[in-house]
């Protein structure tokens, strides 16, 4: 128990802060992916989640379809001076295509977000219920090791992680579909440029993983530190009569400020490193764009030199 000694020699007792609880939680293993999906119990919810995954695949068709249409559009628009009427019809068809593509993207993304959001909310509600029931089933020895108020404060952040994780599955499926179809179309269009893209892909992927890992570790450290501050607030409020009788409010405020300051330092400490990592990732993407532009221009130049025909239209 933490004792706050006052100037008059008396002290008050606050609910025990983490007695090695943060160290114990650091040793806890993360759950497997199939355990995350175990919170989707109802067969109708599973069907709805599957429908959301299907619409995520449909959303992944948008970017490759746009690239394919752009490649044929530039050729059609290049003949504008040769046949203005035919070019006008081509422009009209392109405009209609992108209107249809916009409506298609709106419907697919809306249905994907709806399905994923509904199931994520229901699963989060079930997760909170199971967490609370599991907490009530523990014996006294468990609460001697773990701080009860801190565990209660961790329910919300962990439920939000589950909610974001279930929603992110749709985005992962969509990005994977975009990647596979885009690489396939790149090899179909020009295998040389596709090989250049694949050569830079590991650099961009590693940079992105480092960014995600850094952001997750920052949020986890901040959540643990704010949980300690929540423990102090919970203990002082639950013993508010004792705090007021001993005039211990300034000391409680000092403890709470120290805990929130620690959380602030955990949250802002790695910002410079994260900015550097983000800069490296964006720089690698810009470098890839520059190399693709130069290499593509070189390929066009060589084709014009060899055949005398400009493939760009």
């Amino acid at each position: 128990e933490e004792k706050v000694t006052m100037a008059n020699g008396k002290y008050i007792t606050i609910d025990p802060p983490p007695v090695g609880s943060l160290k114990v939680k650091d040793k806890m293993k993360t759950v497997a992916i199939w355990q995350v999906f175990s919170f989707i119990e109802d067969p109708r919810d599973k069907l709805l989640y599957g429908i959301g995954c299907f619409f995520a695949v449909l959303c992944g068709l948008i970017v490759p379809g746009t690239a394919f249409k752009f490649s044929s559009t530039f050729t059609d628009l290049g003949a504008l001076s040769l046949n203005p009427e035919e070019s006008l019809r081509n422009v009209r068809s392109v405009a209609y295509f992108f209107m249809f593509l916009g409506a298609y993207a709106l419907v697919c993304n809306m249905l994907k977000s709806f399905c994923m959001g509904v199931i994520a909310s229901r699963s989060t509600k079930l997760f909170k219920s199971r967490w609370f029931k599991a907490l009530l089933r523990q014996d006294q020895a468990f609460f001697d090791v773990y701080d009860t108020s801190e565990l209660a404060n961790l329910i919300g952040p962990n439920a939000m992680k589950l909610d974001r994780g279930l929603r992110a599955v749709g985005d992962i499926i969509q990005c994977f579909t975009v990647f596979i179809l885009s690489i396939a179309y790149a090899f179909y269009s020009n295998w040389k440029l596709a090989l250049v893209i694949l050569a830079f892909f590991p650099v961009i992927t590693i940079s992105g993983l480092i960014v995600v890992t850094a952001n997750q570790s920052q949020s986890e450290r901040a959540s643990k530190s704010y949980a300690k501050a929540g423990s102090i607030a919970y203990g002082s409020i639950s013993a508010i009569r004792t705090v007021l009788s001993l005039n211990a409010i300034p000391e409680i405020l000092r403890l709470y400020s120290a805990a929130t300051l620690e959380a602030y330092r955990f949250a802002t400490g790695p910002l410079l490193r994260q900015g550097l990592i983000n800069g490296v990732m964006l720089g690698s993407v810009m470098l890839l764009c520059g190399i693709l532009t130069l290499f593509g221009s070189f390929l066009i130049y060589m084709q014009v030199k060899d055949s005398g025909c400009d493939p760009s239209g």
Side-chain angles (χ1 to χ4, degrees):
E1 294 182 346
E2 181 174 347
K3 298 180 178 179
V4 181
T5 305
M6 308 305 299
N8 56 7
K10 297 181 180 180
Y11 65 86
I12 62 173
T13 302
I14 303 177
D15 281 357
V19 184
S21 59
L22 290 179
K23 297 181 180 179
V24 175
K25 285 197 292 290
D26 288 339
K27 299 178 182 179
M28 288 184 176
K29 297 181 180 179
T30 57
V31 299
I33 187 66
W34 62 268
Q35 292 176 308
V36 175
F37 291 111
S38 65
F39 292 99
I40 308 177
E41 290 185 335
D42 196 325
R44 291 174 296 181
D45 290 344
K46 294 179 181 179
L47 177 61
L48 186 60
Y49 199 75
I51 294 174
C53 294
F54 172 73
F55 280 108
V57 174
L58 295 182
C59 290
L61 301 177
I62 298 173
V63 175
T66 304
F68 174 77
K69 189 61 179 179
F70 265 125
S71 63
S72 60
T73 299
F74 290 144
T75 304
D76 296 336
L77 295 180
L80 181 60
S81 59
L82 300 179
N83 191 344
E85 294 182 0
E86 182 67 23
S87 297
L88 184 59
R89 284 194 294 268
N90 292 332
V91 171
R92 189 181 296 111
S93 64
V94 171
Y96 287 151
F97 172 80
F98 282 107
M99 289 175 60
F100 167 78
L101 186 65
Y104 171 84
L106 174 64
V107 173
C108 291
N109 280 283
M110 180 181 64
L111 293 177
K112 181 199 74 171
S113 301
F114 171 77
C115 296
M116 295 293 178
V118 169
I119 301 306
S121 300
R122 294 177 181 175
S123 301
T124 302
K125 180 180 178 181
L126 179 61
F127 170 78
K128 292 180 179 179
S129 176
R130 287 186 179 180
W131 180 302
F132 188 66
K133 290 180 181 178
L135 195 62
L136 295 179
R137 287 198 305 263
Q138 306 305 315
D139 54 11
Q140 183 62 38
F142 176 86
F143 298 104
D144 292 337
V145 177
Y146 292 93
D147 182 15
T148 55
S149 59
E150 186 174 345
L151 287 174
N153 289 326
L154 288 176
I155 294 179
N158 284 282
M160 290 300 298
K161 290 180 183 179
L162 176 64
D163 183 85
R164 289 195 302 266
L166 291 175
R167 293 174 188 266
V169 172
D171 297 332
I172 294 173
I173 295 175
Q174 179 179 348
C175 292
F176 182 76
T177 305
V178 170
F179 171 75
I180 295 298
L181 295 180
S182 298
I183 291 296
Y185 179 69
F187 274 101
Y188 171 77
S189 299
N190 192 305
W191 63 271
K192 295 178 181 179
L193 284 176
L195 289 179
V196 174
I197 295 174
L198 288 180
F200 274 83
F201 181 74
V203 178
I204 299 176
T205 303
I206 293 174
S207 301
L209 290 176
I210 294 176
V211 169
V212 173
T213 304
N215 291 333
Q216 288 180 348
S217 61
Q218 176 191 5
S219 61
E220 289 176 0
R221 291 194 301 267
S223 297
K224 291 178 181 179
S225 299
Y226 279 117
K228 181 179 179 180
S231 174
I232 295 175
Y234 176 82
S236 59
I237 294 300
S238 60
I240 187 62
R241 294 182 179 179
T242 306
V243 172
L244 293 176
S245 63
L246 297 177
N247 195 22
I249 292 179
E251 188 66 19
I252 297 298
L253 292 177
R254 184 189 64 80
L255 293 175
Y256 186 78
S257 298
T260 52
L261 180 61
E262 180 184 0
Y264 169 78
R265 289 174 178 172
F266 272 126
T268 58
L271 289 181
L272 181 61
R273 184 176 70 252
Q274 290 181 2
L276 179 62
I277 295 172
N278 282 313
V280 170
M281 184 184 68
L282 295 177
S284 61
V285 173
M286 295 297 102
L287 179 62
L288 175 60
C289 293
I291 292 176
L292 289 178
T293 302
L294 295 176
F295 187 64
S297 302
F298 172 75
L299 292 178
I300 295 175
Y301 168 77
M302 294 302 297
Q303 189 167 356
V304 173
K305 182 180 178 181
D306 295 337
S307 62
C309 178
D310 188 357
S312 65

